[in-house]
Amino acid sequence: MIARTKSEALFARALACLPGGVNSPVRAFRAVGGTPFFVQQARGCRITDVDGNEYLDYVGTWGPAILGHAHPKIIAAVKAAAGQGTSFGIPNPHEVLMAERITRLVPSVQKVRLTNSGTEACMSAIRLARGFTKRDKIIKFAGCYHGHADSLLVKAGSGALTFGHPDSAGVPADFAKHTLVLPYNEIEPLQAAFAAHPRDIACIIVEPVAGNAGLFNPKPGWLEFLRQITATHGALLIFDEVMTGFRLAPGGAQERFGITPDLSTFGKIIGGGLPVGALGGRADVMDHLAPLGPVYQAGTLSGNPLAMVAGLANLDELAAGDYYAQLEARGAQLEAGLRAAAGSARVAVTFNRCGSMFCCYFTDQPVWNLDDALRADRERFKKFFHGMLAAGVYLAPSPFEAGFISTAHGEAEVEMTVKAAARVLKTRV
Ligand SMILES: *Cc1c(COP(=O)(O)O)cnc(C)c1O
């Protein structure tokens, strides 16, 4: 086993001054046991910790690093922008370029508001949908994560799910009572909800591919159904593309599945690794935001020049090569390899994937929603996680997180991953 002396010492110090030793819960490794490593630097598809251990990384800072870590064009753009000042609190040209870029790549988006995180973007999109429709109720799906705003922390995914409190303490029941939580991929519960509250539902918010409870894909026709039932009832359809945006296609999941939502939220890739978020959509809806309209939304650092240039460099490079085909090919290679490895080790695995996002559930049943995901074997996942880590492959430290492939993952790296998985599945899981 590789030494982690420096990481362990840092974690001990962190525990004394940061709750749980971290600034975001999943990082604490509690779902898998053990203690986290501290990163010294990351380049391409590899991360090096403070003890000098190197890992092949399938987290990619949870999505932004689609070109791999420390892409030279992003680093150069951030350095150049920093030389001109780090924040102005008054308009800068990069915000306009970013908004123009998003509207060009995502045709459903006519206007954009930039924020500092995906959480802020989703929180603001919900407020906007409520202000626009003058309705209070919202629909979300169990296992979907839309950041940690009060009304969205109900049956939430990601860390909330990993640590067994998908319904957070500190959210008054009076706030959460307007949030209707339904199962992903089902139709009847939605029909029943709209029948029970025909004029009260402001919006449906959905991850078009659910990537915060592992990963499950939308069943064919389900997203179309969401589009149709919201239109029928005068509710808005919000696609939370914080994870899927600019990853599953240049125009995100909505391009891949051919759906036009009313509003969308973004983050991760459009910040190139700096803090960012955005909401956007129909101009008539977006114009309800302050200063034009009555729905308040603001941010001292929103449209921050460093975040804008980093995100623009990410999007520029993504447009410059045949990257989406490459990501698809690497995803297919990983899928085929892991399925074969699980088969020959006789370990029941359901491997879900969409493009460069994937998840390995230890179950012999298909996974289409949160209940299915919860039936997977978490003890086996722990063993798999630690076996892979010891083999130098870093997967997300929770059975309820997706994995991410970047353009820096070559055929050889994926092959190495598959070989490691074959060994770990046979001997440790
Ligand atoms: C990451 C994520 C968020 C939250 O974004 P933060 O920048 O972490 O606040 C919201 N929705 C989805 C789908 C996400 O994956």
Side-chain angles (χ1 to χ4, degrees):
M1 187 62 193
I2 27 197
R4 293 224 187 80
T5 330
K6 288 183 184 161
S7 277
E8 278 159 19
L10 276 167
F11 195 57
R13 279 167 61 191
L15 283 171
C17 53
L18 296 163
V22 292
N23 285 305
S24 196
V26 179
R27 296 179 196 170
F29 270 37
R30 293 208 162 191
V32 290
T35 55
F37 58 86
F38 283 66
V39 177
Q40 184 67 48
Q41 67 159 48
R43 240 180 257 285
C45 59
R46 292 192 164 78
I47 282 184
T48 309
D49 71 15
V50 289
D51 291 291
N53 302 302
E54 199 179 83
Y55 310 89
L56 187 50
D57 176 32
Y58 285 96
V59 180
T61 187
W62 304 100
I66 191 167
L67 299 172
H69 294 284
H71 191 279
K73 290 191 178 161
I74 296 179
I75 303 302
V78 172
K79 278 186 178 161
Q84 311 207 307
T86 54
S87 173
F88 312 122
I90 196 160
N92 72 70
H94 310 295
E95 314 172 60
V96 186
L97 292 174
M98 176 59 83
E100 285 175 349
R101 180 70 57 90
I102 294 173
T103 59
R104 194 165 81 232
L105 288 169
V106 189
S108 75
V109 174
Q110 297 169 322
K111 289 194 176 179
V112 175
R113 170 64 53 90
L114 290 151
T115 65
N116 300 296
S117 67
T119 291
E120 270 183 65
C122 294
M123 172 187 83
S124 304
I126 295 292
R127 184 182 305 141
L128 176 59
R130 285 172 161 158
F132 178 79
T133 58
K134 302 190 171 64
R135 299 171 175 186
D136 287 340
K137 294 199 182 304
I138 64 170
I139 292 177
K140 80 174 282 290
F141 299 99
C144 283
Y145 179 67
H146 307 291
H148 55 88
D150 283 344
S151 64
L152 292 167
L153 264 189
V154 187
K155 295 271 184 295
S158 194
L161 176 60
T162 300
F163 300 113
H165 26 80
D167 305 291
S168 173
V171 177
D174 276 354
F175 290 15
K177 77 178 180 202
H178 293 301
T179 305
L180 310 175
V181 185
L182 303 180
Y184 201 86
N185 268 326
E186 284 184 34
I187 283 178
E188 287 79 29
L190 279 161
Q191 289 167 328
F194 277 98
H197 311 282
R199 270 172 295 276
D200 297 331
I201 296 171
C203 64
I204 292 179
I205 185 165
V206 64
E207 287 183 72
V209 171
N212 281 288
L215 184 149
F216 32 91
N217 280 294
K219 285 186 177 168
W222 190 66
L223 295 175
E224 285 83 351
F225 175 74
L226 299 185
R227 179 62 285 183
Q228 176 236 311
I229 197 167
T230 43
T232 303
H233 290 88
L236 300 183
L237 178 61
I238 305 175
F239 267 19
D240 178 353
E241 297 232 39
V242 172
M243 185 183 285
T244 55
F246 314 97
R247 175 170 284 278
L248 295 183
Q254 53 196 278
E255 175 183 330
R256 195 169 174 118
F257 296 101
I259 310 286
T260 306
D262 301 295
L263 293 176
S264 303
T265 54
F266 304 102
K268 298 187 171 130
I269 286 178
I270 59 163
L274 275 80
V276 90
L279 62 145
R282 281 165 43 188
D284 62 323
V285 180
M286 291 299 291
D287 285 349
H288 276 61
L289 284 177
L292 282 185
V295 178
Y296 196 70
Q297 200 286 331
T300 300
L301 297 172
S302 296
N304 175 267
L306 302 193
M308 296 298 100
V309 301
L312 283 165
N314 220 2
L315 296 174
D316 280 346
E317 186 58 22
L318 279 171
D322 201 11
Y323 290 125
Y324 290 95
Q326 186 188 322
L327 290 167
E328 190 65 51
R330 288 294 84 75
Q333 184 193 346
L334 185 68
E335 174 171 358
L338 285 185
R339 280 178 194 269
S344 70
R346 295 178 197 283
V347 175
V349 161
T350 291
F351 190 89
N352 283 355
R353 179 177 73 88
C354 189
S356 55
M357 292 164 54
F358 65 90
C359 177
C360 227
Y361 292 107
F362 288 92
T363 170
D364 57 0
Q365 298 298 306
V367 178
W368 290 109
N369 60 36
L370 178 61
D371 285 344
D372 294 342
L374 289 171
R375 277 194 285 269
D377 187 333
R378 282 172 242 182
E379 288 309 309
R380 280 194 138 167
F381 175 84
K382 277 190 197 178
K383 292 180 191 158
F384 183 60
F385 170 85
H386 281 293
M388 292 300 279
L389 194 66
V393 179
Y394 177 54
L395 301 169
S398 160
F400 301 120
E401 299 288 353
F404 299 95
I405 299 169
S406 79
T407 62
H409 291 77
E411 212 173 322
E413 281 86 12
V414 173
E415 189 52 38
M416 176 263 179
T417 307
V418 166
K419 286 210 173 103
R423 271 198 314 277
V424 171
L425 287 169
K426 255 200 193 96
T427 56
R428 299 198 43 173
V429 170

